[in-house]
Amino acid sequence: MENNTWVNNHTGRSDFDLVGLFSQSKHPALLCVVILVDFLMALSGNIILILLIYFDAHLHNPMYFFITQLSLMDVMYISVTVPKMLMDQVMGVNKISAPECGMQMFLYLTLGGSEFFLLAAMAYDRYVAICHPLRYPILMNNRVCLLLVSSSWFLGSVDGFMITPITMTLPVCRSREIYHFFCEVPAVMKLSCSDTSLYETFMYLCCVISLLFPVTVISSSYSFILFTIHRMKSAEGRKKAFATCSSHMTVVVLFYGAAVYTYMLPNTYHTPEKDMIVSVFYTILTPVLNPLIYSLRNKDVTRALKKMLNVKSVSQESIK
């Protein structure tokens, strides 16, 4: 019996228990409804934004191509964690198998890492558009845009392929309760009975490297952008440049701030409750906010939305 328990604990064949948000809430049913509404808003907002950009010819430029990829990542990102969490709450089950846990971990690491690099590509795009407008069509042609996007997806998947196998093969000989609503790396690592200090150092270095290049690109791009905006004589030009860049910077601060807290701050700053709150912020709220940030504050997108709604209303009236 003892041998079987040891084998199950060390091979990862046993299921894990996800002790998530609902166990910490005094009103789990209300919280479930709120999260469901957020999930539907994120799906509908991002899908509508993708469709608007796809069907409106005026939005066929590099900036909106990157926004399409960001929306696609957000749709996939929130779908990795939230549907299972809601289904488990409705069905009264909180189990997740080791393969499912590993797949969930790989997908959110890949999507999160890809979004880091995509935000850097978007910052570079804004730098070229504002600082080198005459050379913009050449510097940001279709080939360059495809290269930047494919590189973002590839580099994001590197994180998933490197971190997931190591985390999922750590020996587990304690409780199999993951104090989180999904298989996040730090929460799963806490179950291991082995010394994980070397792995934590490796993961910290991976995060530093993954964040260092995008942060350098973003900070450099916006330094040049601010300098260029300051030199603009047109008040309308400055206003438009600030509106475009402030939207992007809002997304960057939200996403990067949560990532730095989760993967780079020492363990003394972490508690299961704080970790879950921060994870809610970047796995649930950010996908909801992104389409709002890029649509409500963007005249081109709002114009395309009004145009689409007008076309629908006209077609319905003609049918009647």
Side-chain angles (χ1 to χ4, degrees):
M1 182 68 181
E2 291 181 359
N3 289 336
N4 290 336
T5 303
W6 188 93
V7 169
N8 284 334
N9 285 335
H10 284 73
T11 57
R13 292 177 182 172
S14 300
D15 291 341
F16 293 101
D17 296 319
L18 290 171
V19 183
L21 289 172
F22 301 111
S23 63
Q24 308 292 324
S25 174
K26 295 180 181 179
H27 306 285
L30 178 61
L31 180 61
C32 185
V33 172
V34 171
I35 293 176
L36 175 60
V37 171
D38 286 343
F39 175 66
L40 295 176
M41 286 178 61
L43 284 186
S44 58
N46 283 289
I47 290 173
I48 288 173
L49 190 56
I50 292 172
L51 293 176
L52 279 176
I53 294 171
Y54 179 78
F55 287 109
D56 195 305
H58 294 93
L59 301 180
H60 291 178
N61 60 53
M63 182 179 77
Y64 294 109
F65 174 64
F66 291 130
I67 291 176
T68 301
Q69 294 297 310
L70 181 66
S71 292
L72 179 61
M73 289 178 184
D74 282 340
V75 168
M76 297 173 66
Y77 198 56
I78 197 170
S79 299
V80 167
T81 58
V82 172
K84 175 169 176 53
M85 177 174 61
L86 294 175
M87 286 297 296
D88 286 352
Q89 175 63 17
V90 171
M91 299 178 67
V93 179
N94 64 344
K95 300 283 186 181
I96 185 169
S97 66
E100 289 175 334
C101 185
M103 181 58 66
Q104 189 180 65
M105 185 182 296
F106 170 76
L107 289 174
Y108 92 78
L109 284 172
T110 296
L111 292 166
S114 299
E115 193 157 330
F116 289 149
F117 291 102
L118 181 66
L119 291 172
M122 294 173 72
Y124 174 73
D125 171 70
R126 291 301 82 207
Y127 157 73
V128 177
I130 294 172
C131 299
H132 303 283
L134 298 179
R135 300 176 61 195
Y136 183 73
I138 299 173
L139 295 176
M140 296 301 296
N141 57 51
N142 290 337
R143 182 178 296 180
V144 172
C145 292
L146 289 173
L147 178 62
L148 290 173
V149 167
S150 58
S151 298
S152 298
W153 282 100
F154 172 76
L155 293 172
S157 67
V158 170
D159 278 345
F161 279 116
M162 288 177 61
I163 295 176
T164 303
I166 300 175
T167 305
M168 294 306 298
T169 53
L170 289 172
V172 177
C173 51
R174 299 175 186 171
S175 169
R176 302 190 72 84
E177 292 185 340
I178 301 174
Y179 285 91
H180 217 295
F181 60 90
F182 68 101
C183 289
E184 191 169 44
V185 174
V188 176
M189 282 175 55
K190 291 177 181 178
L191 304 182
S192 178
C193 56
S194 62
D195 182 12
T196 60
S197 57
L198 181 62
Y199 176 50
E200 288 176 14
T201 303
F202 167 75
M203 189 171 66
Y204 177 82
L205 292 175
C206 285
C207 293
V208 169
I209 294 171
S210 297
L211 291 175
L212 183 62
F213 176 74
V215 168
T216 302
V217 172
I218 291 170
S219 57
S220 300
S221 297
Y222 280 99
S223 297
F224 287 115
I225 287 171
L226 289 174
F227 180 71
T228 303
I229 291 175
H230 179 71
R231 296 172 57 187
M232 284 183 179
K233 296 180 180 180
S234 170
E236 184 65 26
R238 286 198 300 269
K239 183 179 178 181
K240 185 176 181 180
F242 269 121
T244 304
C245 296
S246 60
S247 299
H248 183 250
M249 282 306 298
T250 303
V251 175
V252 168
V253 170
L254 293 176
F255 201 72
Y256 278 72
V260 169
Y261 169 84
T262 303
Y263 292 98
M264 298 183 69
L265 289 185
N267 290 331
T268 53
Y269 290 88
H270 291 264
T271 64
E273 292 77 16
K274 287 182 181 179
D275 289 350
M276 279 192 277
I277 291 173
V278 173
S279 296
V280 165
F281 200 74
Y282 72 83
T283 59
I284 300 176
L285 293 183
T286 302
V288 176
L289 293 175
N290 281 352
L292 297 177
I293 290 171
Y294 284 110
S295 59
L296 294 179
R297 302 188 63 183
N298 192 301
K299 292 181 180 179
D300 293 332
V301 175
T302 53
R303 191 183 299 114
L305 181 59
K306 290 177 182 178
K307 181 180 176 182
M308 184 184 75
L309 294 175
N310 289 334
V311 169
K312 284 188 176 182
S313 62
V314 170
S315 61
Q316 288 175 356
E317 289 178 1
S318 63
I319 292 173
K320 291 179 182 180

